[in-house]
Amino acid sequence: MTPTVAIIGGTGLTTLDTLRTAHRETLSTPYGEPSSPAIHGELGGRAVVFLARHGQHHTLPPHKINYRANLWALHRLGVEQVVAVAAVGGIRADMAPGVLAFPDQIVDYTWGRHCTFFEDNLSHVTHIDFTEPYCLELRERLIQAARELGLEARESCTYAAMPGPRLETAAEIRRLERDGCDIVGMTGMPEAALARELGMRYAACAVVANWAAGKVAGTISMAEIESNLAGSMDKVKALLAQVIPTLVPL
């Protein structure tokens, strides 16, 4: 079966043990090597391909991820819909660690990344509409699945995409909050825009791993982030198992 659905796993989800694996496929692209082999398998009776955004051993920092190669490879495999899982920091008061969030807007603060397929050897300049950066229908499927499972989730929020790999300063978080951002991460862009350029439906499941800088006293530790993510991944896997069977080919 052609895998029309892909899951991109972020920090905390470099493997998906609920996926009944069929085979691995290493792909090359005009843009270089993807982050990891494509893992073909089955989830809830649906053919799915899984790709680890940060690599199989979580060795690729956000600014070194080859987003174009990742999305181009999935598109080449026949993927039409992408569920992207990502760890984020919570800015808004109800974005506590452990909460799932389904962003509907994004603000891009990244720089220096290859952010488009439309830049060389063009017959005409191409602009995509990005008014709604996430697919409304796919977001609704994720939201409905979370409701059915009784998961604590935030159904509307704005994602701030920061360059990384360092975490933000407290002053930067105050700025993001003034800008209307509710969660902060490092991989949301250009991934969402590249998917749109390729005509793929794309939605994100953000997992709040920590309070953003300055939101609580003290420093942010990787041990804290990893602990919070470990406690949340069972919820993410349950959500994926619930939603994937509902995603019919386009």
Side-chain angles (χ1 to χ4, degrees), residues 2-102:
T2 300
T4 62
V5 178
I7 299 166
I8 299 179
T11 300
L13 193 67
T14 53
T15 61
L16 188 59
D17 53 17
T18 52
L19 186 68
R20 195 172 77 181
T21 302
H23 67 280
R24 298 169 179 260
E25 183 175 5
T26 300
L27 297 169
S28 60
T29 83
Y31 306 98
E33 298 302 311
S35 294
S36 72
I39 311 300
H40 292 260
E42 186 179 296
L43 188 61
R46 285 297 312 279
V48 176
V49 61
F50 177 83
L51 187 136
R53 185 189 289 116
H54 293 278
Q56 297 178 86
H57 305 291
H58 201 265
T59 54
L60 292 172
H63 66 299
K64 288 291 188 178
I65 293 168
N66 193 335
Y67 296 94
R68 291 195 298 183
N70 288 350
L71 272 297
W72 193 93
L74 294 178
H75 185 255
R76 178 185 169 189
L77 291 173
V79 168
E80 300 171 332
Q81 302 175 82
V82 178
V83 177
V85 180
V88 298
I91 299 175
R92 203 169 74 194
D94 62 345
M95 292 294 185
V99 165
L100 303 185
F102 306 116

